Amino acid sequence: MAGFLSDLVQYRKLLLMIMVLGIGGTHLSGFQMSVINYTSPYIQKFINETWLERYGSVLQQETLTLLWSFIVSMYCVGGMIGCLCSGLLTAKYGKKKCLLLNDVILIIATLHTGFSRRAKSFEMILIGRFLEGIGAGIHMNAHIQYAGEISPKRLRGFVNVSSSVFLALGKAVARILGLRDLLGTEDMWNVLLSFSGLVALIQLVFLPFFPESPPYLLLQKGDKSGCLKAMKQLWGEGNYLTEFDDMMKEKAITKGTKIMNVLEMLKEPSVYPQLGIMLLILLSLQLCGLSAITFYTSEIFQTANLQESIIPYVSLGVAVSEVISLIFCSSIIDRFGRRILLWGGYLLMALTLLLLEISLLLSDQYFWMQYCSVILIFLFIIAYGLGPAGAITSVMNEIFTLSTRSSAFVIGGIIIWLGLTFTGMIFPFAVMFLGPFCFLIFIAVLVISAALIYLFLPETKGKSTSEITEEFKICQVKKKRRQIVEKNATEEKTFCTKL
């Protein structure tokens, strides 16, 4: 306990910076993704009323659905564009300036959504959601990289997980403010949408008081004194020679290597193993069953005979349990490592989904199975938060060097945004045809992902970027040797057969 309190005192400025980064970073993404669900009926009614006032006719349901789908999809389109721009912006201007510029974009977006009702223009909501998507694409990449680069080695896992904590917190805040007792009403929906601008303004005011990341200052700008000053400012008084030496080693390894763009990175064979691991963990995260759980939550709560007025609060409990499990994950990740949290978390999620599948199938025969389903939803979210939700961001930050990290996050961001769009379009049809049996697909994905992570992902806990890169190189050499041995064995066998 004494050690924990001393860390809080020593790293108090780092913790403050984590807070400032988080509220204007992934917290906003979580909020913006969730808040649209609570404003949906009010925005659609507003579109209908605006159309009637302009053109004197009621909007057809098909046209209303099309306009609403545009508003929802514009966020993903903007996210893709912002993600593509983030690599260039973070490499050229640094994460700090990138986030400050992004705050301005988000404030402009909020002015559009917040004043759309007064201006009687649903087009302003469309523009606002598009700009919010661009902001989300930029700050999700910049925040995660920035957080990973400002952390000392001993707290690297804790700081990396903070981005996931704030993402879950954003979803929880959207659920809280979206309650009908607060801002989830017909009169206040535009105020609810405007919350993003307030948070962006807070980051815009306070972030300039914090330094750029030490690795960026040393490796990209060549500013040794600035790097040491930033380390001292964030980490307090102490001996940080180990971290500084690790950065100098990385600088020596990448000497003469400029920051790669996406195309250059895709042509570089040495980063293929890292890209393969990133592709694996991001696709497994997209197909882990979280979308299925979200889809079935309300239905399961209704079949469990929960009162309609209570269901929003139980759903809020699910979101809060995700936040708590992620906070707990941040406290254990530097002790247990990333690898075991990933494959162990996936296996635990697969087991929970299997039990949920059984409970859903037997709920008509045994009424108490409905309550088991409710408990299993909470257990699934807790397993998700304890394992992959926290560990994935840490792994992505640690397996790439500074010269490839920005482009890697661009590729990863594109996978995430495409995955969100794909699952949003395909999943409802999967539920329509398979019903509860759709969980079997996710169980298979989780088990296969756990096996592949166990076999191919090296542990990154307590290792520098250069050490992790060296491990991947060793794995590549071993693979090539094995291929040569197998090829020689095949040739010898062919030669003997001919004789």
Side-chain angles (χ1 to χ4, degrees), residues 82-380:
C83 180
L84 288 169
C85 296
S86 66
L88 175 64
L89 291 172
T90 54
K92 190 172 183 179
Y93 300 108
K95 284 77 179 176
K96 181 180 174 180
K97 290 179 182 177
C98 192
L99 285 172
L100 291 172
L101 171 65
N102 195 56
D103 290 330
V104 176
I105 294 173
L106 289 171
I107 291 170
I108 294 170
T110 299
L111 292 174
H112 278 81
T113 54
F115 286 101
S116 59
R117 189 178 175 193
R118 183 177 291 273
K120 296 182 180 180
S121 170
F122 59 81
E123 294 88 351
M124 289 177 70
I125 302 175
L126 192 71
I127 295 168
R129 287 294 290 178
F130 176 68
L131 291 174
E132 283 180 351
I134 291 175
I138 294 171
H139 68 229
M140 281 189 77
N141 284 358
H143 173 202
I144 295 171
Q145 291 179 70
Y146 204 171
E149 292 174 12
I150 62 172
S151 58
K153 188 184 286 187
R154 60 178 298 201
L155 296 177
R156 197 169 60 194
F158 167 79
V159 178
N160 281 327
V161 175
S162 69
S163 58
S164 299
V165 173
F166 278 101
L167 181 68
L169 185 63
K171 291 188 275 187
V173 169
R175 289 187 187 233
I176 293 169
L177 295 180
L179 293 171
R180 291 179 182 175
D181 300 331
L182 296 174
L183 300 178
T185 63
E186 188 173 352
D187 295 328
M188 300 296 287
W189 62 264
N190 59 319
V191 179
L192 180 59
L193 290 177
S194 302
F195 178 77
S196 299
L198 174 63
V199 175
L201 181 62
I202 292 172
Q203 188 181 74
L204 184 64
V205 171
F206 289 103
L207 189 57
F209 294 100
F210 295 94
E212 184 57 85
S213 71
Y216 177 81
L217 291 170
L218 179 65
L219 303 179
Q220 185 67 10
K221 296 296 182 182
D223 185 1
K224 283 187 182 181
S225 61
C227 172
L228 291 168
K229 183 181 177 182
M231 291 165 72
K232 188 176 179 180
Q233 184 179 345
L234 290 171
W235 305 343
E237 297 292 338
N239 184 5
Y240 304 113
L241 284 176
T242 304
E243 282 83 357
F244 188 76
D245 288 343
D246 287 339
M247 283 188 272
M248 290 301 292
K249 286 177 185 176
E250 184 178 345
K251 186 177 182 181
I253 292 170
T254 58
K255 189 176 181 181
T257 305
K258 65 182 182 71
I259 291 183
M260 298 182 188
N261 59 38
V262 173
L263 291 176
E264 288 171 341
M265 188 178 178
L266 291 174
K267 293 176 182 177
E268 178 56 53
S270 63
V271 296
Y272 287 172
Q274 290 95 316
L275 284 174
I277 290 292
M278 183 184 73
L279 185 66
L280 167 65
I281 60 179
L282 288 179
L283 287 178
S284 62
L285 190 69
Q286 293 288 320
L287 300 172
C288 70
L290 190 65
S291 54
I293 290 293
T294 305
F295 186 90
Y296 272 103
T297 295
S298 297
E299 183 182 328
I300 289 169
F301 289 165
Q302 287 169 357
T303 55
N305 295 321
L306 294 177
Q307 294 180 12
E308 194 71 30
S309 59
I310 296 175
I311 288 177
Y313 295 95
V314 180
S315 298
L316 175 59
V318 173
V320 171
S321 67
E322 182 182 352
V323 176
I324 294 171
S325 60
L326 274 162
I327 292 172
F328 185 69
C329 174
S330 70
S331 67
I332 63 172
I333 190 169
D334 285 312
R335 180 177 298 178
F336 292 99
R338 290 71 164 142
R339 190 164 165 265
I340 190 171
L341 290 181
L342 275 172
W343 67 260
Y346 277 145
L347 289 180
L348 189 58
M349 288 166 68
L351 177 62
T352 308
L353 278 185
L354 181 61
L355 294 174
L356 182 61
E357 176 79 36
I358 294 169
S359 68
L360 288 173
L361 292 174
L362 297 179
S363 59
D364 292 335
Q365 300 177 34
Y366 306 99
F367 76 93
W368 50 269
M369 278 289 186
Q370 298 167 356
Y371 302 103
C372 290
S373 300
V374 174
I375 295 169
L376 286 167
I377 284 176
F378 277 89
L379 289 177
F380 179 86

